[in-house]
Amino acid sequence: MPSPPASHVVIFPFMAQGHTLPLLDLSKALSRRQIKVTIITTPSNAKSIAKAVPHHPAIHLNEIPFPAVDGLPEGCENTSQLPSMEFFLPFLRATKQLQKPFEQVLETMVKSNAPPLCVISDFFLGFTLASCQALGVPRLVFHGMSVLSMAIYKSSWVNAAQISSLSVLDPVDLPGMKLPFTLTKADLETSNSSNHDDPMSHFLKEVVEADANSWGVIINSFEELEKDHIPSLESFYMNGARTWCLGPLFLYEKMEEGLEKSFNQNQDPSVSTQWLNEQSTPDSVIYVSFGTQADVSDSQLDEVAFGLEESGFPFLWAVRSKTWSLPSGMEEKIQNRGLIVSEWVDQRQILSHHAVGGFLSHCGWNSVLESVVAGVPILAWPMIADQYLNAKFIVNGAGAGISVGRVRNQGSETLVSRQSIAEGVEELMGGQEGRSARERAEALGTVARTAVQKGGPSHDTLSKFIDQLRPC
Ligand SMILES: O=c1ccn([C@@H]2O[C@H](COP(=O)(O)OP(=O)(O)O[C@H]3O[C@H](CO)[C@@H](O)[C@H](O)[C@H]3O)[C@@H](O)[C@H]2O)c(=O)[nH]1
């Protein structure tokens, strides 16, 4: 007898590392539960995705062409290839042209002998909702952010008029929300304007509407961390859509391989792992990375270099800039104490190395989760978007980090000074506040790992999610 067609889920990630990576982790978790996964993406993203999911025959890739658009550099199919964040809106607009090819692919699948149970697509790909509705497939939305950040953004959008009358450092009170820190208008960055008439707001309005009408929301977080905010978030969704807290998603694979083994053994150590292996003192190295999206100026990078040097602590720094080089004379000063890497590093592996004791981070949500899971406290330096909220959450809410501190003006630019960086690193790595942040991070890491183990809340929610999607 032929075996029944496998349950099938379609995943369509936004073309940015911080958004794609967690959905690849979800794809792997689903494939290990005998679910066929089709990832829809564009040709150059497909190449890197294929490398990231090599041992999962249940994961398939379906390529659709990225449109050629005026105003975007040729061949740019991922936000990490944008020359600067000024190109972000043209990039977002270009992705809307993926609707037709996406719909064609989905229609073929719907007519096949393995129609998809659902489509999980990124918040920014709001057009997928109309296609899913037309073809009768439930759409779940994935944001890549925490429950708390999403609920705050949604509420501040609704309450924009009241918020706009506040001054920048006034506390913001959001109706019905129990915030774990004092929120100010400054923390809301772009979403605090009552003028929803600018082009970015127009784009966001469309995707927020599609988001609210989705069948459900997939969250890369765990209930113990965020359960207080789930009702607030769910109140912004129509039709009884619910949130599914399934994270930390990257842990499923680690759990199955055996956490200790995969975190501590390296068959083929990279340059950074080799260097870390040479650092004999546990928790002595500060790891530095500002993620894949924030633009950091060369003069700011200079301050980071001087600050790290002044702190006296060993450091491993993953730099993304194509224009910056070390200030003259620095190479000799840091040569026995720091490693600067300009290629992609395995951040999760770095954070779990016993020599790493702190993370100077921009507080992208993935980095926050990865640091917490590894029990590494954060020196929080938010730069854009939800990073301000994540930083406040980790410092003032969870107590697992400290803030990098003062900024100073240099010409037209506002910089975090080398003194602030040095003092922050010293406190995090050697001070009392750093010690208690490390204890909190370690405790949270234990809760995070338990969440994805059999019987843990994220693990069980994943089972319920699959059961609910499968036809009886
Ligand atoms: O050399 C590198 C650089 C990055 N990473 C990984 O890339 C991801 C980066 O994600 P994140 O820390 O969230 O930073 P961004 O890519 O900058 O994140 C964008 O997406 C996040 C999720 O929506 C938001 O929270 C951020 O504000 C937004 O900038 C993490 O998994 C890192 O481990 C590596 O493994 N190696």
Side-chain angles (χ1 to χ4, degrees):
M1 242 180 52
S3 54
S7 296
H8 181 197
V9 166
V10 171
I11 294 193
F12 193 175
F14 180 62
M15 302 82 181
Q17 309 286 9
H19 291 239
T20 298
L21 291 172
L23 282 180
L24 298 188
D25 294 321
L26 177 62
S27 304
K28 292 180 202 169
L30 290 170
S31 96
R32 282 166 191 268
R33 301 236 185 162
Q34 276 67 55
I35 294 194
K36 173 183 166 184
V37 178
T38 301
I39 299 173
I40 299 186
T41 191
T42 67
S44 90
N45 289 295
K47 284 197 192 89
S48 50
I49 291 177
K51 277 192 213 141
V53 288
H55 307 301
H56 292 266
I59 300 180
H60 304 260
L61 284 169
N62 201 316
E63 292 179 27
I64 54 178
F66 196 89
V69 172
D70 280 350
L72 269 189
E74 208 187 316
C76 175
E77 296 185 15
N78 193 291
T79 59
S80 61
Q81 297 159 337
L82 296 175
S84 80
M85 284 307 281
E86 280 166 32
F87 292 80
F88 190 53
L89 185 58
F91 186 85
L92 287 174
R93 285 186 172 146
T95 62
K96 285 169 75 172
Q97 294 185 36
L98 296 169
Q99 176 160 16
K100 208 162 174 209
F102 164 71
E103 207 162 300
Q104 282 162 353
V105 166
L106 190 62
E107 190 171 8
T108 308
M109 289 174 183
V110 167
K111 290 181 179 157
S112 74
N113 68 345
L117 298 175
C118 68
V119 168
I120 300 172
S121 58
D122 195 277
F123 165 75
F124 284 128
L125 307 175
F127 63 81
T128 52
L129 178 74
S131 307
C132 288
Q133 285 175 334
L135 292 162
V137 181
R139 183 244 181 165
L140 287 110
V141 61
F142 175 74
H143 296 242
M145 288 192 268
S146 69
V147 175
L148 177 62
S149 297
M150 280 191 276
I152 289 177
Y153 278 140
K154 285 179 183 291
S155 181
S156 63
W157 184 276
V158 172
N159 295 291
Q162 290 100 295
I163 296 172
S164 69
S165 65
L166 300 173
S167 45
V168 188
L169 294 177
D170 279 347
V172 177
D173 188 24
L174 296 175
M177 285 202 72
K178 262 196 296 176
L179 297 175
F181 51 77
T182 306
L183 179 71
T184 64
K185 193 171 150 184
D187 300 321
L188 293 169
E189 212 220 4
T190 49
S191 72
N192 61 5
S193 157
S194 63
N195 168 21
H196 285 174
D197 260 352
D198 57 290
M200 187 58 162
S201 294
H202 275 291
F203 180 88
L204 287 176
K205 190 166 176 288
E206 277 175 28
V207 294
V208 165
E209 270 169 27
D211 176 16
N213 286 291
S214 298
W215 185 86
V217 193
I218 300 286
I219 316 257
N220 186 16
S221 189
F222 48 108
E223 279 179 15
E224 290 87 337
L225 199 62
E226 306 222 67
K227 59 174 171 296
D228 289 350
H229 317 300
I230 291 174
S232 305
L233 179 61
E234 286 182 340
S235 72
F236 293 101
Y237 284 84
M238 311 295 160
N239 316 317
R242 64 164 286 193
T243 53
W244 303 88
C245 270
L246 305 177
L249 291 166
F250 75 95
L251 274 180
Y252 288 103
E253 200 164 51
K254 296 283 174 213
M255 284 300 161
E256 287 174 26
E257 286 170 5
L259 194 66
E260 296 311 318
K261 177 169 168 274
S262 62
F263 272 24
N264 295 329
Q265 271 186 14
N266 296 303
Q267 274 90 28
D268 185 15
S270 60
V271 173
S272 39
T273 306
Q274 281 177 39
W275 184 84
L276 285 172
N277 288 344
E278 287 159 18
Q279 312 305 310
S280 49
T281 315
D283 295 338
S284 59
V285 174
I286 177 120
Y287 167 60
V288 185
S289 167
F290 306 126
T292 64
Q293 248 166 287
D295 292 329
V296 189
S297 69
D298 287 359
S299 42
Q300 181 63 84
L301 293 172
D302 282 352
E303 290 298 299
V304 176
F306 286 117
L308 290 172
E309 196 268 322
E310 264 176 51
S311 78
F313 282 87
F315 64 87
L316 169 53
W317 182 8
V319 183
R320 204 169 60 89
S321 168
K322 291 192 175 72
T323 52
W324 180 78
S325 54
L326 262 180
S328 69
M330 282 293 276
E331 206 154 326
E332 300 76 57
K333 284 189 178 168
I334 61 165
Q335 65 181 347
N336 294 321
R337 207 165 44 75
L339 179 68
I340 298 179
V341 191
S342 52
E343 298 83 44
W344 184 260
V345 297
D346 187 338
Q347 175 167 303
R348 294 164 182 181
Q349 200 159 63
I350 288 173
L351 285 168
S352 62
H353 196 285
H354 60 82
V356 174
F359 183 8
L360 173 54
S361 169
H362 68 309
C363 297
W365 185 241
N366 297 294
S367 290
V368 168
L369 281 178
E370 289 162 13
S371 206
V372 158
V373 163
V376 172
I378 293 177
L379 180 54
W381 180 355
M383 297 180 176
I384 52 169
D386 59 327
Q387 296 162 15
Y388 297 95
L389 302 176
N390 298 338
K392 272 220 163 150
F393 174 65
I394 207 70
V395 174
N396 305 105
I402 62 175
S403 291
V404 77
R406 297 185 306 278
V407 294
R408 80 176 159 80
N409 293 323
Q410 181 175 295
S412 59
E413 217 186 336
T414 305
L415 296 177
V416 174
S417 68
R418 63 190 73 178
Q419 290 84 357
S420 290
I421 294 165
E423 285 164 17
V425 171
E426 285 162 35
E427 183 55 43
L428 188 80
M429 303 301 285
Q432 181 50 42
E433 282 184 58
R435 246 191 307 283
S436 76
R438 180 162 302 112
E439 280 165 22
R440 284 293 301 140
E442 282 166 0
L444 271 178
T446 306
V447 181
R449 290 191 291 271
T450 310
V452 299
Q453 277 164 0
K454 213 166 175 198
S458 295
H459 181 278
D460 288 358
T461 304
L462 181 59
S463 306
K464 283 187 204 137
F465 170 64
I466 294 168
D467 288 348
Q468 186 149 347
L469 281 172
R470 274 190 179 132
C472 306

